Coordinates of all heavy atoms in Angstrom, one line a residue:
Chain J
K1405 N -9.7 -5.5 -19.4 CA -10.3 -6.0 -20.7 C -10.3 -4.9 -21.7 O -10.7 -3.7 -21.4 CB -11.8 -6.4 -20.5 CG -11.9 -7.6 -19.6 CD -11.6 -9.0 -20.3 CE -12.6 -9.4 -21.3 NZ -12.3 -10.7 -21.9
F1406 N -10.0 -5.2 -23.0 CA -10.0 -4.2 -24.0 C -11.4 -4.0 -24.5 O -12.1 -5.0 -24.8 CB -9.0 -4.6 -25.2 CG -7.6 -4.4 -24.9 CD1 -7.1 -4.0 -23.6 CD2 -6.7 -4.5 -25.9 CE1 -5.8 -3.9 -23.4 CE2 -5.3 -4.2 -25.7 CZ -4.9 -3.9 -24.4
H1407 N -11.8 -2.8 -24.8 CA -13.0 -2.6 -25.5 C -12.7 -1.7 -26.7 O -12.4 -0.5 -26.6 CB -14.0 -1.8 -24.6 CG -14.4 -2.7 -23.4 ND1 -15.5 -3.5 -23.4 CD2 -13.8 -2.8 -22.2 CE1 -15.6 -4.1 -22.2 NE2 -14.6 -3.7 -21.5
Y1408 N -12.8 -2.3 -27.8 CA -12.5 -1.7 -29.0 C -13.7 -0.8 -29.6 O -14.8 -1.2 -29.5 CB -12.2 -2.7 -30.1 CG -10.8 -3.3 -29.9 CD1 -10.6 -4.5 -29.2 CD2 -9.6 -2.6 -30.5 CE1 -9.3 -5.0 -29.0 CE2 -8.4 -3.2 -30.3 CZ -8.3 -4.4 -29.5 OH -7.0 -4.9 -29.3
K1409 N -13.3 0.4 -30.0 CA -14.3 1.3 -30.4 C -14.0 1.5 -31.9 O -13.1 1.0 -32.5 CB -14.3 2.6 -29.7 CG -14.6 2.5 -28.3 CD -14.5 3.8 -27.5 CE -13.3 3.7 -26.6 NZ -13.3 4.9 -25.7
K1410 N -14.8 2.3 -32.5 CA -14.6 2.6 -33.9 C -13.2 3.3 -34.1 O -12.7 3.8 -33.2 CB -15.7 3.4 -34.5 CG -15.9 4.7 -33.8 CD -17.1 5.4 -34.2 CE -17.2 6.7 -33.4 NZ -18.4 7.4 -33.3
E1411 N -12.8 3.4 -35.3 CA -11.6 4.1 -35.7 C -10.4 3.5 -35.0 O -9.4 4.1 -34.8 CB -11.6 5.6 -35.3 CG -12.6 6.3 -36.2 CD -13.0 7.6 -35.5 OE1 -12.4 8.0 -34.5 OE2 -13.9 8.2 -35.9
G1412 N -10.5 2.2 -34.7 CA -9.2 1.6 -34.1 C -8.8 1.9 -32.8 O -7.7 1.7 -32.4
T1413 N -9.7 2.7 -32.0 CA -9.3 3.0 -30.6 C -9.9 2.0 -29.7 O -10.9 1.3 -30.0 CB -9.8 4.4 -30.3 OG1 -11.2 4.4 -30.3 CG2 -9.2 5.5 -31.2
Y1414 N -9.3 2.0 -28.6 CA -9.8 1.0 -27.6 C -9.6 1.6 -26.2 O -8.8 2.4 -25.9 CB -9.1 -0.4 -27.6 CG -7.6 -0.3 -27.4 CD1 -7.1 -0.6 -26.1 CD2 -6.7 -0.1 -28.4 CE1 -5.8 -0.6 -25.8 CE2 -5.4 0.0 -28.1 CZ -4.9 -0.3 -26.8 OH -3.6 -0.3 -26.6
S1415 N -10.5 1.1 -25.3 CA -10.3 1.5 -23.9 C -10.1 0.3 -23.1 O -10.3 -0.8 -23.5 CB -11.6 2.3 -23.4 OG -12.7 1.5 -23.6
I1416 N -9.6 0.5 -21.9 CA -9.1 -0.6 -21.1 C -9.9 -0.7 -19.8 O -10.1 0.4 -19.1 CB -7.6 -0.5 -20.8 CG1 -6.8 -0.3 -22.1 CG2 -7.1 -1.7 -20.0 CD1 -5.3 -0.1 -21.9
G1417 N -10.3 -1.9 -19.4 CA -11.0 -2.0 -18.1 C -10.0 -1.9 -16.9 O -8.9 -1.5 -17.1
T1418 N -10.6 -2.1 -15.8 CA -9.9 -1.9 -14.6 C -9.5 -3.1 -13.9 O -10.3 -4.1 -13.8 CB -10.8 -1.0 -13.6 OG1 -11.1 0.2 -14.2 CG2 -10.0 -0.8 -12.3
V1419 N -8.3 -3.2 -13.4 CA -7.8 -4.4 -12.8 C -7.9 -4.2 -11.3 O -7.2 -3.2 -10.8 CB -6.3 -4.7 -13.2 CG1 -5.8 -5.8 -12.4 CG2 -6.3 -5.1 -14.7
G1420 N -8.5 -5.0 -10.6 CA -8.5 -4.9 -9.1 C -7.5 -5.8 -8.5 O -7.0 -6.8 -9.2
T1421 N -7.1 -5.6 -7.3 CA -6.1 -6.5 -6.7 C -6.6 -7.0 -5.3 O -7.4 -6.4 -4.7 CB -4.8 -5.7 -6.5 OG1 -5.0 -4.5 -5.7 CG2 -4.2 -5.4 -7.8
Q1422 N -5.9 -8.0 -4.8 CA -6.4 -8.7 -3.6 C -5.1 -9.1 -2.8 O -4.2 -9.7 -3.4 CB -7.2 -9.8 -4.1 CG -8.3 -10.2 -3.2 CD -9.1 -11.3 -3.8 OE1 -9.2 -11.5 -5.0 NE2 -9.7 -12.1 -3.0
D1423 N -5.1 -8.9 -1.5 CA -4.1 -9.5 -0.7 C -4.4 -10.9 -0.3 O -5.5 -11.1 0.2 CB -3.9 -8.6 0.6 CG -3.3 -7.3 0.3 OD1 -2.6 -7.1 -0.8 OD2 -3.4 -6.3 1.1
I1424 N -3.5 -11.7 -0.4 CA -3.7 -13.1 0.0 C -2.7 -13.5 1.1 O -1.5 -13.4 0.8 CB -3.6 -14.1 -1.2 CG1 -4.6 -13.7 -2.3 CG2 -3.9 -15.5 -0.7 CD1 -6.0 -13.8 -2.0
D1425 N -3.2 -13.9 2.3 CA -2.3 -14.4 3.3 C -2.1 -15.9 3.1 O -3.0 -16.6 2.9 CB -2.9 -14.2 4.7 CG -3.0 -12.7 5.1 OD1 -2.1 -12.0 4.5 OD2 -3.8 -12.4 5.9
C1426 N -0.8 -16.3 3.2 CA -0.5 -17.7 3.2 C -0.7 -18.3 4.6 O -0.4 -17.7 5.6 CB 0.9 -17.9 2.8 SG 1.3 -17.3 1.1
D1427 N -1.2 -19.5 4.5 CA -1.5 -20.2 5.8 C -0.2 -20.9 6.3 O 0.0 -21.0 7.5 CB -2.5 -21.3 5.6 CG -3.9 -20.7 5.3 OD1 -4.2 -19.7 6.0 OD2 -4.6 -21.3 4.5
F1428 N 0.6 -21.3 5.4 CA 1.8 -22.1 5.9 C 3.1 -21.4 5.8 O 4.2 -21.9 6.1 CB 1.9 -23.4 5.1 CG 0.7 -24.3 5.3 CD1 -0.2 -24.5 4.2 CD2 0.4 -24.9 6.5 CE1 -1.3 -25.2 4.4 CE2 -0.7 -25.7 6.6 CZ -1.6 -25.9 5.6
I1429 N 3.0 -20.1 5.3 CA 4.2 -19.3 5.2 C 3.9 -17.9 5.7 O 2.7 -17.4 5.5 CB 4.6 -19.1 3.7 CG1 4.6 -20.5 3.0 CG2 6.0 -18.5 3.5 CD1 4.8 -20.4 1.5
D1430 N 4.8 -17.3 6.4 CA 4.6 -15.9 6.9 C 4.8 -15.0 5.7 O 5.9 -14.4 5.5 CB 5.7 -15.6 7.9 CG 5.4 -16.2 9.3 OD1 4.3 -16.8 9.4 OD2 6.2 -16.2 10.2
F1431 N 3.8 -14.9 4.9 CA 3.9 -14.1 3.7 C 2.6 -13.8 3.2 O 1.5 -14.4 3.4 CB 4.6 -15.0 2.6 CG 4.9 -14.3 1.3 CD1 6.0 -13.4 1.4 CD2 4.3 -14.6 0.1 CE1 6.3 -12.7 0.2 CE2 4.7 -13.9 -1.0 CZ 5.6 -13.0 -1.0
T1432 N 2.5 -12.6 2.5 CA 1.3 -12.1 1.9 C 1.7 -11.7 0.5 O 2.6 -11.0 0.3 CB 0.7 -10.9 2.7 OG1 0.4 -11.3 4.0 CG2 -0.6 -10.4 2.0
Y1433 N 0.8 -12.1 -0.5 CA 1.2 -11.6 -1.9 C -0.1 -11.0 -2.4 O -1.3 -11.1 -1.9 CB 1.6 -12.8 -2.7 CG 0.6 -13.9 -2.9 CD1 -0.3 -13.9 -4.0 CD2 0.6 -15.0 -2.1 CE1 -1.2 -15.0 -4.2 CE2 -0.3 -16.0 -2.2 CZ -1.2 -16.0 -3.3 OH -2.1 -17.1 -3.5
V1434 N 0.1 -10.3 -3.5 CA -1.0 -9.5 -4.1 C -1.3 -10.3 -5.4 O -0.4 -10.6 -6.2 CB -0.5 -8.1 -4.5 CG1 -1.7 -7.3 -5.1 CG2 -0.1 -7.4 -3.2
R1435 N -2.5 -10.5 -5.7 CA -2.9 -11.1 -6.9 C -4.0 -10.3 -7.6 O -4.7 -9.4 -7.0 CB -3.3 -12.6 -6.8 CG -4.6 -12.7 -6.1 CD -5.2 -14.1 -6.4 NE -6.7 -14.0 -6.2 CZ -7.4 -14.8 -5.4 NH1 -6.8 -15.7 -4.8 NH2 -8.7 -14.6 -5.3
V1436 N -4.2 -10.5 -8.9 CA -5.3 -9.9 -9.6 C -6.6 -10.4 -9.1 O -6.7 -11.6 -8.8 CB -5.1 -10.2 -11.1 CG1 -6.3 -9.9 -11.9 CG2 -3.9 -9.5 -11.7
S1437 N -7.6 -9.5 -9.0 CA -8.9 -10.0 -8.5 C -9.6 -10.6 -9.6 O -10.4 -10.0 -10.4 CB -9.8 -8.7 -8.0 OG -9.2 -8.3 -6.8
S1438 N -9.4 -11.9 -9.8 CA -10.1 -12.6 -10.9 C -10.2 -14.0 -10.4 O -9.2 -14.8 -10.3 CB -9.3 -12.5 -12.2 OG -9.8 -13.5 -13.1
E1439 N -11.4 -14.5 -10.1 CA -11.6 -15.8 -9.6 C -11.2 -16.9 -10.7 O -10.7 -17.9 -10.4 CB -13.0 -16.0 -9.1 CG -13.5 -15.2 -7.9 CD -12.5 -15.5 -6.7 OE1 -12.1 -16.7 -6.5 OE2 -12.1 -14.6 -6.0
E1440 N -11.6 -16.5 -11.9 CA -11.3 -17.5 -13.0 C -9.7 -17.7 -13.1 O -9.3 -18.8 -13.2 CB -11.8 -16.9 -14.3 CG -13.3 -17.0 -14.5 CD -13.7 -16.3 -15.8 OE1 -13.8 -15.0 -15.7 OE2 -13.9 -16.9 -16.8
L1441 N -9.0 -16.6 -13.0 CA -7.6 -16.8 -13.2 C -7.0 -17.6 -12.0 O -6.2 -18.4 -12.1 CB -6.9 -15.4 -13.3 CG -5.4 -15.4 -13.5 CD1 -5.2 -16.0 -14.9 CD2 -4.9 -13.9 -13.5
D1442 N -7.5 -17.2 -10.8 CA -7.1 -17.9 -9.6 C -7.4 -19.5 -9.7 O -6.5 -20.3 -9.4 CB -7.7 -17.3 -8.4 CG -7.1 -17.9 -7.1 OD1 -5.9 -18.0 -7.1 OD2 -7.8 -18.2 -6.1
R1443 N -8.6 -19.7 -10.2 CA -9.0 -21.1 -10.3 C -8.0 -21.9 -11.3 O -7.6 -23.0 -11.0 CB -10.4 -21.3 -10.8 CG -11.4 -21.5 -9.7 CD -12.7 -22.1 -10.3 NE -13.2 -21.2 -11.4 CZ -14.1 -20.2 -11.1 NH1 -14.4 -19.9 -9.9 NH2 -14.5 -19.5 -12.2
A1444 N -7.7 -21.3 -12.4 CA -6.9 -21.9 -13.4 C -5.5 -22.2 -12.8 O -4.9 -23.2 -13.0 CB -6.8 -21.0 -14.6
L1445 N -5.0 -21.2 -12.1 CA -3.6 -21.4 -11.5 C -3.7 -22.4 -10.4 O -2.8 -23.3 -10.3 CB -3.1 -20.1 -10.9 CG -2.7 -19.0 -11.9 CD1 -1.9 -17.9 -11.1 CD2 -1.7 -19.6 -12.9
R1446 N -4.7 -22.4 -9.6 CA -4.8 -23.4 -8.5 C -4.8 -24.8 -9.1 O -4.3 -25.8 -8.5 CB -6.0 -23.1 -7.6 CG -5.7 -22.0 -6.6 CD -6.9 -21.8 -5.7 NE -6.7 -20.6 -4.9 CZ -6.0 -20.5 -3.8 NH1 -5.5 -21.7 -3.3 NH2 -5.8 -19.4 -3.1
K1447 N -5.5 -24.9 -10.2 CA -5.7 -26.3 -10.8 C -4.3 -26.8 -11.1 O -4.0 -27.9 -10.7 CB -6.6 -26.2 -12.0 CG -6.9 -27.5 -12.6 CD -8.1 -27.4 -13.5 CE -8.4 -28.6 -14.3 NZ -7.5 -28.9 -15.4
V1448 N -3.5 -26.0 -11.9 CA -2.3 -26.6 -12.4 C -1.3 -26.7 -11.2 O -0.5 -27.6 -11.2 CB -1.8 -25.7 -13.6 CG1 -1.3 -24.3 -13.1 CG2 -0.7 -26.4 -14.3
V1449 N -1.4 -25.8 -10.3 CA -0.4 -25.9 -9.1 C -0.8 -27.1 -8.3 O 0.1 -27.8 -7.8 CB -0.4 -24.6 -8.3 CG1 0.3 -24.8 -7.0 CG2 0.2 -23.5 -9.1
G1450 N -2.1 -27.4 -8.2 CA -2.5 -28.6 -7.4 C -2.0 -29.9 -8.1 O -1.5 -30.8 -7.5
E1451 N -2.0 -29.9 -9.4 CA -1.5 -31.0 -10.2 C 0.0 -31.1 -10.0 O 0.5 -32.3 -9.7 CB -1.8 -30.9 -11.7 CG -3.2 -31.0 -12.1 CD -3.5 -30.6 -13.5 OE1 -2.5 -30.4 -14.3 OE2 -4.7 -30.5 -13.9
F1452 N 0.7 -30.1 -10.0 CA 2.2 -30.1 -9.7 C 2.4 -30.6 -8.3 O 3.3 -31.4 -8.1 CB 2.7 -28.7 -9.9 CG 4.2 -28.5 -9.5 CD1 5.1 -29.2 -10.3 CD2 4.5 -27.7 -8.6 CE1 6.5 -29.0 -10.0 CE2 5.9 -27.5 -8.2 CZ 6.8 -28.2 -8.9
R1453 N 1.7 -30.1 -7.4 CA 1.9 -30.5 -6.0 C 1.7 -32.0 -5.8 O 2.4 -32.8 -5.2 CB 1.0 -29.7 -5.0 CG 1.0 -30.1 -3.6 CD -0.3 -29.8 -2.9 NE -1.4 -30.6 -3.5 CZ -2.6 -30.1 -3.6 NH1 -2.9 -28.9 -3.2 NH2 -3.6 -30.8 -4.2
D1454 N 0.6 -32.6 -6.4 CA 0.3 -34.0 -6.4 C 1.4 -34.8 -7.1 O 1.9 -35.8 -6.5 CB -1.1 -34.3 -7.0 CG -2.1 -33.7 -6.2 OD1 -2.0 -33.4 -5.0 OD2 -3.3 -33.4 -6.8
A1455 N 1.9 -34.3 -8.2 CA 2.9 -35.0 -8.9 C 4.2 -35.1 -8.1 O 4.9 -36.0 -8.0 CB 3.2 -34.3 -10.3
L1456 N 4.5 -34.0 -7.4 CA 5.7 -33.9 -6.6 C 5.6 -34.9 -5.5 O 6.5 -35.7 -5.1 CB 5.9 -32.6 -6.0 CG 6.8 -31.6 -6.6 CD1 6.9 -30.3 -5.8 CD2 8.2 -32.2 -6.7
R1457 N 4.4 -35.0 -4.9 CA 4.2 -35.9 -3.8 C 4.3 -37.3 -4.2 O 4.8 -38.1 -3.5 CB 2.8 -35.6 -3.2 CG 2.6 -36.1 -1.8 CD 1.2 -35.9 -1.2 NE 0.9 -34.5 -1.1 CZ -0.3 -33.9 -1.1 NH1 -1.4 -34.7 -1.4 NH2 -0.4 -32.6 -1.0
N1458 N 3.7 -37.6 -5.4 CA 3.7 -39.0 -5.8 C 5.0 -39.4 -6.4 O 5.1 -40.6 -6.7 CB 2.5 -39.2 -6.8 CG 1.2 -38.9 -6.1 OD1 1.0 -39.0 -4.9 ND2 0.2 -38.5 -7.0
S1459 N 5.8 -38.5 -6.7 CA 7.0 -38.9 -7.5 C 7.9 -39.8 -6.7 O 8.6 -40.6 -7.2 CB 7.8 -37.7 -7.9 OG 8.4 -37.0 -6.8
G1460 N 7.9 -39.5 -5.4 CA 8.8 -40.4 -4.5 C 10.2 -40.2 -4.8 O 11.1 -40.9 -4.3
G1461 N 10.6 -39.1 -5.5 CA 12.0 -38.9 -5.8 C 12.6 -38.0 -4.7 O 12.2 -38.0 -3.5
D1462 N 13.5 -37.1 -5.1 CA 14.1 -36.2 -4.1 C 13.3 -35.0 -3.8 O 13.8 -34.1 -3.1 CB 15.5 -35.8 -4.6 CG 16.5 -36.9 -4.4 OD1 16.1 -37.9 -3.7 OD2 17.6 -36.7 -4.9
G1463 N 12.1 -34.9 -4.5 CA 11.3 -33.7 -4.2 C 11.8 -32.6 -5.1 O 11.8 -31.4 -4.6
L1464 N 12.3 -32.8 -6.3 CA 12.7 -31.7 -7.1 C 11.7 -31.6 -8.3 O 11.3 -32.6 -8.8 CB 14.1 -32.0 -7.7 CG 15.2 -31.9 -6.7 CD1 16.5 -32.6 -7.4 CD2 15.5 -30.5 -6.3
G1465 N 11.4 -30.4 -8.5 CA 10.5 -30.3 -9.7 C 10.5 -28.8 -10.2 O 11.1 -27.9 -9.4
Q1466 N 9.9 -28.5 -11.2 CA 9.9 -27.1 -11.7 C 8.6 -26.8 -12.5 O 8.0 -27.7 -13.1 CB 11.1 -26.7 -12.5 CG 11.2 -27.4 -13.9 CD 12.4 -27.1 -14.6 OE1 13.5 -27.0 -14.1 NE2 12.3 -26.8 -15.9
M1467 N 8.1 -25.6 -12.4 CA 7.0 -25.2 -13.2 C 7.5 -24.0 -14.1 O 8.3 -23.2 -13.7 CB 5.9 -24.6 -12.2 CG 5.2 -25.6 -11.4 SD 3.7 -24.9 -10.7 CE 2.5 -25.2 -12.0
S1468 N 6.8 -24.0 -15.2 CA 7.2 -23.0 -16.2 C 6.0 -22.2 -16.6 O 5.0 -22.8 -17.0 CB 7.8 -23.6 -17.5 OG 9.1 -24.2 -17.2
L1469 N 6.1 -20.9 -16.5 CA 5.0 -20.0 -17.0 C 5.6 -19.3 -18.2 O 6.5 -18.5 -18.1 CB 4.7 -19.0 -15.9 CG 3.7 -17.8 -16.2 CD1 2.4 -18.3 -16.7 CD2 3.5 -16.9 -15.0
E1470 N 4.9 -19.6 -19.3 CA 5.5 -19.1 -20.6 C 4.5 -18.2 -21.2 O 3.3 -18.5 -21.4 CB 5.7 -20.3 -21.5 CG 6.2 -19.9 -22.9 CD 6.1 -21.2 -23.8 OE1 6.8 -22.1 -23.5 OE2 5.3 -21.1 -24.7
F1471 N 4.9 -17.0 -21.6 CA 4.0 -16.0 -22.3 C 4.4 -16.1 -23.8 O 5.6 -16.1 -24.1 CB 4.2 -14.6 -21.8 CG 3.8 -14.4 -20.4 CD1 4.7 -14.4 -19.3 CD2 2.4 -14.2 -20.1 CE1 4.3 -14.3 -18.0 CE2 2.0 -14.0 -18.8 CZ 2.9 -14.1 -17.8
Y1472 N 3.4 -16.2 -24.6 CA 3.7 -16.4 -26.0 C 2.7 -15.6 -26.9 O 1.7 -15.1 -26.4 CB 3.6 -17.9 -26.4 CG 2.2 -18.5 -26.2 CD1 1.3 -18.6 -27.3 CD2 1.7 -19.0 -25.0 CE1 0.0 -19.1 -27.2 CE2 0.5 -19.5 -24.9 CZ -0.4 -19.6 -26.0 OH -1.6 -20.0 -25.8
Q1473 N 3.1 -15.5 -28.1 CA 2.3 -14.9 -29.1 C 1.9 -15.9 -30.2 O 2.7 -16.7 -30.5 CB 3.0 -13.7 -29.8 CG 2.9 -12.4 -29.2 CD 3.8 -11.4 -30.0 OE1 4.9 -11.3 -29.7 NE2 3.2 -10.7 -30.9
K1474 N 0.8 -15.8 -30.7 CA 0.4 -16.6 -31.8 C 0.7 -16.0 -33.1 O 0.4 -14.8 -33.3 CB -1.1 -17.0 -31.7 CG -1.5 -18.2 -30.8 CD -2.8 -18.7 -31.2 CE -3.6 -19.0 -29.9 NZ -5.0 -19.1 -30.0
K1475 N 1.2 -16.7 -34.0 CA 1.5 -16.1 -35.3 C 0.8 -17.0 -36.3 O 1.0 -18.2 -36.4 CB 3.0 -16.2 -35.5 CG 3.5 -15.4 -36.8 CD 5.0 -15.4 -36.8 CE 5.4 -15.0 -38.2 NZ 6.8 -15.2 -38.5
K1476 N 0.0 -16.3 -37.1 CA -0.8 -17.1 -38.0 C 0.1 -17.6 -39.2 O 0.9 -16.8 -39.7 CB -1.9 -16.1 -38.7 CG -2.9 -15.7 -37.7 CD -4.3 -16.4 -37.9 CE -5.3 -15.9 -37.0 NZ -5.5 -16.7 -35.8
S1477 N -0.1 -18.9 -39.4 CA 0.7 -19.4 -40.6 C -0.2 -19.7 -41.7 O -1.5 -19.8 -41.5 CB 1.4 -20.7 -40.1 OG 2.2 -20.5 -39.1
R1478 N 0.3 -19.8 -42.8 CA -0.5 -20.1 -44.0 C -0.9 -21.6 -44.0 O -0.2 -22.4 -43.4 CB 0.2 -19.8 -45.2 CG 0.0 -18.4 -45.8 CD 0.8 -18.1 -46.9 NE 2.1 -17.7 -46.6 CZ 3.1 -17.6 -47.5 NH1 2.9 -18.0 -48.8 NH2 4.3 -17.3 -47.2
W1479 N -2.0 -21.9 -44.5 CA -2.4 -23.3 -44.6 C -1.4 -24.1 -45.3 O -0.9 -23.7 -46.3 CB -3.8 -23.3 -45.4 CG -4.4 -24.7 -45.4 CD1 -5.3 -25.2 -44.5 CD2 -4.2 -25.7 -46.4 NE1 -5.6 -26.4 -44.8 CE2 -5.0 -26.8 -46.0 CE3 -3.5 -25.8 -47.6 CZ2 -5.0 -27.9 -46.7 CZ3 -3.5 -26.9 -48.3 CH2 -4.3 -28.0 -47.9
P1480 N -1.1 -25.3 -45.0 CA -1.8 -26.2 -44.0 C -1.2 -26.1 -42.6 O -1.5 -26.9 -41.8 CB -1.6 -27.6 -44.6 CG -0.3 -27.5 -45.3 CD -0.1 -26.1 -45.7

Side-chain angles (χ1 to χ4, degrees):
Chain J
K1405 296 282 287 180
F1406 282 12
H1407 296 270
Y1408 285 92
K1409 299 180 249 192
K1410 54 187 183 200
E1411 295 160 7
T1413 60
Y1414 63 95
S1415 57
I1416 308 180
T1418 301
V1419 172
T1421 57
Q1422 212 172 332
D1423 287 339
I1424 304 293
D1425 287 338
C1426 295
D1427 290 323
F1428 300 110
I1429 313 174
D1430 284 349
F1431 188 68
T1432 301
Y1433 62 91
V1434 182
R1435 69 158 206 236
V1436 166
S1437 289
S1438 167
E1439 290 305 318
E1440 286 174 276
L1441 186 62
D1442 188 44
R1443 262 200 302 273
L1445 287 189
R1446 281 182 188 273
K1447 182 164 177 283
V1448 69
V1449 168
E1451 289 169 11
F1452 174 64
R1453 176 206 61 213
D1454 293 338
L1456 262 181
R1457 197 183 295 155
N1458 298 334
S1459 69
D1462 282 354
L1464 288 168
Q1466 66 182 47
M1467 288 195 85
S1468 292
L1469 169 59
E1470 177 191 298
F1471 293 101
Y1472 65 95
Q1473 271 179 272
K1474 272 197 221 160
K1475 190 174 164 195
K1476 295 252 184 266
S1477 303
R1478 272 177 276 164
W1479 185 89

